[in-house]
C-alpha cells in the first residue's frame, strides 16, 4: 500500500517517512503507536523523518493538493457526511454509551469507517491520475505552507480520530433509543 495515509498517523509529522525499522500499529483502543522491531523500542510519537527527506513542493504537487482540497471542501463533504451517518446508523447498536470500557469491536468498526473515507479519497486521486503514495507526502508539505490546506487536514484528521468516532457512534445510539 505504500506510505500510510496521514489520517493513520499523529497530526504532526503525519505523512513523513519513518526511519528504517519503524512500523505503525494500533492498540486495542484504536490509538496509533510506533515500534522498532530491531531495537524493541516503542513510542506514541511518530519517529522523525530520515535525513534528506524532501521539504519543498513542486507546482504539480500544489495542483494535486488543491484539486483534492476543492473536491473535499466544496463537493464531497456532504456525501461524506451522509456516508458517515449511514455507517453510524448501521453499526451504532454495537456501542454501549453506559460502559466506559471499549470493546475490540469498536476498534474494528473504526478501522472500517476510516477505510471508507480513505477508499473514497484514493478513488478520487486515481481518477485524476495521482497516486496516494505521491499525495500524502505532498499534502504534509502543502499543509505547512497554506492555511486552507491545513484546515482541510485538520478537519479530516479530527473526523477520523477514534475518540470522535466513538462519541458520534454513542450519540447516534442514544438518538435511536430515544426514537
Amino acid at each position: 500500500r505504500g506510505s500510510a495515509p496521514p489520517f493513520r498517523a499523529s497530526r504532526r509529522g503525519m505523512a513523513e517517512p519513518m526511519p528504517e525499522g519503524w512500523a505503525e500499529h494500533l492498540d486495542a483502543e484504536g490509538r496509533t503507536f510506533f515500534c522498532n522491531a530491531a531495537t524493541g523500542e516503542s513510542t506514541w510519537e511518530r519517529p522523525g523523518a530520515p535525513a534528506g527527506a524532501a521539504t519543498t513542493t513542486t507546482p504539480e504537487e500544489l495542483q494535486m493538493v488543491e484539486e483534492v482540497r476543492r473536491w473535499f471542501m466544496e463537493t464531497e463533504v456532504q456525501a461524506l457526511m451522509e456516508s458517515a451517518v449511514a455507517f453510524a446508523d448501521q453499526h451504532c447498536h454495537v456501542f454501549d454509551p453506559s460502559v466506559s470500557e471499549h470493546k475490540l469491536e469498536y476498534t474494528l468498526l473504526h478501522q472500517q469507517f476510516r477505510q471508507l473515507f480513505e477508499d473514497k479519497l484514493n478513488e478520487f486521486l486515481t481518477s485524476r491520475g495521482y497516486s496516494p503514495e505521491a499525495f500524502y507526502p505532498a499534502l504534509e508539505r502543502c499543509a505547512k505552507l497554506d492555511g486552507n490546506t491545513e484546515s482541510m487536514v485538520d478537519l479530516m484528521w479530527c473526523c477520523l480520530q477514534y475518540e470522535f468516532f466513538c462519541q458520534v457512534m454513542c450519540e447516534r445510539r442514544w438518538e435511536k433509543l430515544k426514537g
Side-chain angles (χ1 to χ4, degrees):
R1 218 181 222 210
S3 56
F7 319 109
R8 293 198 186 278
S10 63
R11 173 62 183 93
R12 288 196 177 83
M14 60 186 170
E16 295 173 6
M18 288 188 282
E20 187 67 33
W22 286 92
E24 181 177 324
H25 303 279
L26 291 176
D27 71 4
E29 294 180 11
R31 298 174 299 186
T32 302
F33 70 97
F34 305 89
C35 252
N36 186 317
T39 66
E41 184 180 357
S42 65
T43 179
W44 293 109
E45 296 297 320
R46 184 179 184 86
T55 57
T56 60
T57 58
T58 66
E60 294 80 14
E61 289 176 327
L62 291 169
Q63 179 181 341
M64 173 177 50
V65 170
E66 177 58 21
E67 286 181 37
V68 170
R69 190 195 64 73
R70 279 196 316 268
W71 166 78
F72 179 75
M73 300 298 279
E74 297 172 12
T75 63
E76 194 61 21
V77 166
Q78 184 63 35
L80 288 169
M81 292 300 292
E82 290 168 4
S83 294
V85 168
F87 186 91
D89 286 345
Q90 183 180 0
H91 299 287
C92 68
H93 68 277
V94 172
F95 286 75
D96 185 352
S98 65
V99 177
S100 62
E101 186 174 312
H102 289 208
K103 301 176 187 176
L104 177 59
E105 193 169 7
Y106 296 3
T107 301
L108 299 175
L109 285 170
H110 179 242
Q111 290 168 347
Q112 289 176 21
F113 177 75
R114 283 200 321 206
Q115 194 62 51
L116 287 173
F117 172 79
E118 291 168 8
D119 288 348
K120 284 185 179 238
L121 175 58
N122 291 342
E123 182 180 312
F124 175 77
L125 289 167
T126 302
S127 77
R128 304 297 297 166
Y130 303 123
S131 73
E133 293 78 15
F135 172 70
Y136 294 120
L139 179 63
E140 170 69 13
R141 290 189 295 275
C142 289
K144 292 176 182 175
L145 302 173
D146 175 56
N148 289 330
T149 301
E150 184 177 27
S151 294
M152 175 186 69
V153 170
D154 287 342
L155 179 60
M156 290 175 169
W157 182 80
C158 178
C159 291
L160 296 175
Q161 284 300 298
Y162 178 77
E163 292 82 10
F164 179 77
F165 169 79
C166 289
Q167 178 183 348
V168 168
M169 295 300 275
C170 288
E171 287 174 4
R172 290 301 289 171
R173 173 84 190 268
W174 278 118
E175 288 173 17
K176 290 184 104 174
L177 289 174
K178 289 179 189 175

